Amino acid sequence: MTEDQTWTEPGVVTKVSPRSVADTVSRLTGLAAEKGLKVFGVIDQRAAAREVGLELRETTLVLFGSPAAGTPVMVAAPLSALDLPLKVLIWADHGQTNVSYYAPAELAARHHLSPELAARLAGIDPLTDALVTA
């Protein structure tokens, strides 16, 4: 990939945050807590790379969700547990902070979810909209 590469992938939503990676991660975990969501983990992938002597752009994966919302999805489609809890990747690219995640419709289609179950995943869109608002 070239330095001016635009990173896109079908089914992945990417939004631009006006904050640094660290501040965006902090804001996401705070917003999740305010909404009563459980933060299952925050993985600093750059730090992990450095532990083995490698360099990586700032890259942090935040895993979060609602067991009350996600459990019925996993009951109906056991392999959806590969995608749950929900994940948001917050990463730096040429001075810009990106917020990326699988679109709820993509997850619903992948796991053949009913509209009712798909709706349980849709909260990620307004949450990330609030995350990237200045």
Side-chain angles (χ1 to χ4, degrees):
M1 299 270 163
T2 63
E3 263 192 49
D4 59 350
Q5 172 71 41
T6 300
W7 303 96
T8 60
E9 183 176 321
V12 174
V13 176
T14 297
K15 300 174 183 178
V16 177
S17 172
R19 296 169 189 80
S20 68
V21 169
D23 289 347
T24 302
V25 169
S26 178
R27 183 169 166 88
L28 176 57
T29 58
L31 287 170
E34 287 174 18
K35 303 261 184 220
L37 301 172
K38 179 175 177 106
V39 175
F40 292 96
V42 176
I43 302 169
D44 183 339
Q45 294 171 318
R46 182 184 204 183
R50 283 185 172 162
E51 288 175 5
V52 295
L54 299 173
E55 280 300 314
L56 178 66
R57 70 183 81 223
E58 286 183 276
T59 305
T60 303
L61 187 67
V62 180
L63 295 84
F64 67 94
S66 164
T71 300
V73 173
M74 291 184 281
V75 167
L79 294 182
S80 67
L82 290 167
D83 290 313
L84 296 176
L86 295 172
K87 297 160 194 69
V88 171
L89 180 66
I90 301 171
W91 56 289
D93 190 38
H94 297 91
Q96 174 176 290
T97 299
N98 296 304
V99 174
S100 300
Y101 59 94
Y102 283 112
E106 174 75 12
L107 295 175
R110 180 181 307 155
H111 299 292
H112 310 287
L113 301 179
S114 69
E116 177 187 324
L117 290 173
R120 293 173 173 272
L121 307 177
I124 196 169
D125 287 326
L127 180 69
T128 54
D129 285 344
L131 174 63
V132 300
T133 300

